[in-house]
Amino acid sequence: MNLLLIGPPGSGKGTQGDRLAARLGLEHLAAGDLLRAEVAQETPLGRQVAGIMARGELVPDVVILSLLMPRVLAAAEGNGYLLDGFPRSVEQAREARKLAEQAGASPDAVIYLDAPRDELIRRILARAEVEGRADDNPATVENRLRVFDEATAPLVDYYRDRGLLHVIDAAQHEDAVTTDILRELGVDA
């Protein structure tokens, strides 16, 4: 099974991604985690994207595709993947779709985690206190949510039109979110 998990910052993609990947035996590929690891390791790619990420902007398509697609294609050859936080724009989705279709690695379903803005901000700022992530400060959070609204939110219609979208209420307890996702996928919770 190949799944995409999309949603605004703070919607629970990381939490649900970990849970679903473990439950379904999929490789969890978290775009943000992979990028933050590149920055922390000060790789050439990490140095290239550090400032972009600190401002809460989108990493250029060519960079994110070169980082993720080899991992996606390898995972699809195994048990499948759960891709969390990618694509972030319709253009990324179109480009990734071309590459995935050529390799027989297209997603089977897209889960959209939907939550009210005030809940997203509360979660992100609470996470910042616990994890100390540099990209979780109030100014960057506002910018990340604005970027999501402009670039990523159109993915909802893109995937709905392709018949792949499942919208989940992400404002509920994480256990209920997991149960709802599994039900939408036709998997026993």
Side-chain angles (χ1 to χ4, degrees):
M1 179 181 290
N2 298 324
L3 298 175
L4 299 183
L5 191 59
I6 61 174
S11 62
K13 293 183 301 293
T15 298
Q16 294 306 320
D18 288 342
R19 288 170 159 230
L20 294 168
R23 172 72 170 76
L24 300 171
L26 305 175
E27 184 167 345
H28 182 195
L29 300 169
D33 291 349
L34 293 170
L35 287 167
R36 281 186 288 279
E38 294 285 331
V39 171
Q41 295 167 16
E42 297 182 0
T43 66
L45 187 144
R47 287 191 295 276
Q48 179 184 354
V49 301
I52 295 167
M53 291 176 63
R55 292 186 301 274
E57 298 171 0
L58 292 183
V59 172
D61 290 354
V62 67
V63 173
I64 195 73
L65 284 164
S66 68
L67 176 67
L68 284 174
M69 287 312 293
R71 291 171 168 92
V72 167
L73 298 177
E77 288 179 9
N79 288 338
Y81 62 80
L82 185 145
L83 186 52
D84 141 12
F86 178 86
R88 298 274 305 267
S89 68
V90 171
E91 188 54 42
Q92 280 182 357
R94 287 185 181 125
E95 193 59 35
R97 178 181 170 192
K98 281 189 243 175
L99 297 170
E101 283 178 348
Q102 290 169 0
S106 296
D108 299 304
V110 178
I111 305 299
Y112 175 61
L113 299 176
D114 191 22
R117 194 170 209 88
D118 59 339
E119 175 66 8
L120 298 171
I121 292 169
R122 184 196 66 74
R123 287 179 180 181
I124 294 168
L125 295 178
R127 177 176 72 193
E129 289 181 25
V130 174
E131 296 179 14
R133 282 179 33 183
D135 59 343
D136 281 348
N137 63 68
T140 303
V141 167
E142 275 302 319
N143 192 47
R144 287 172 62 207
L145 289 170
R146 182 187 55 73
V147 168
F148 175 84
D149 290 342
E150 293 170 3
T152 309
L155 284 170
V156 172
D157 289 333
Y158 175 79
Y159 287 118
R160 182 178 288 124
D161 291 346
R162 295 196 60 230
L164 296 172
L165 189 73
H166 302 271
V167 178
I168 303 294
D169 176 7
Q172 50 186 337
H173 187 275
E174 61 191 40
D175 292 338
V177 174
T178 304
T179 299
D180 284 357
I181 293 170
L182 292 171
R183 186 179 310 116
E184 283 289 315
L185 296 174
V187 176
D188 292 332

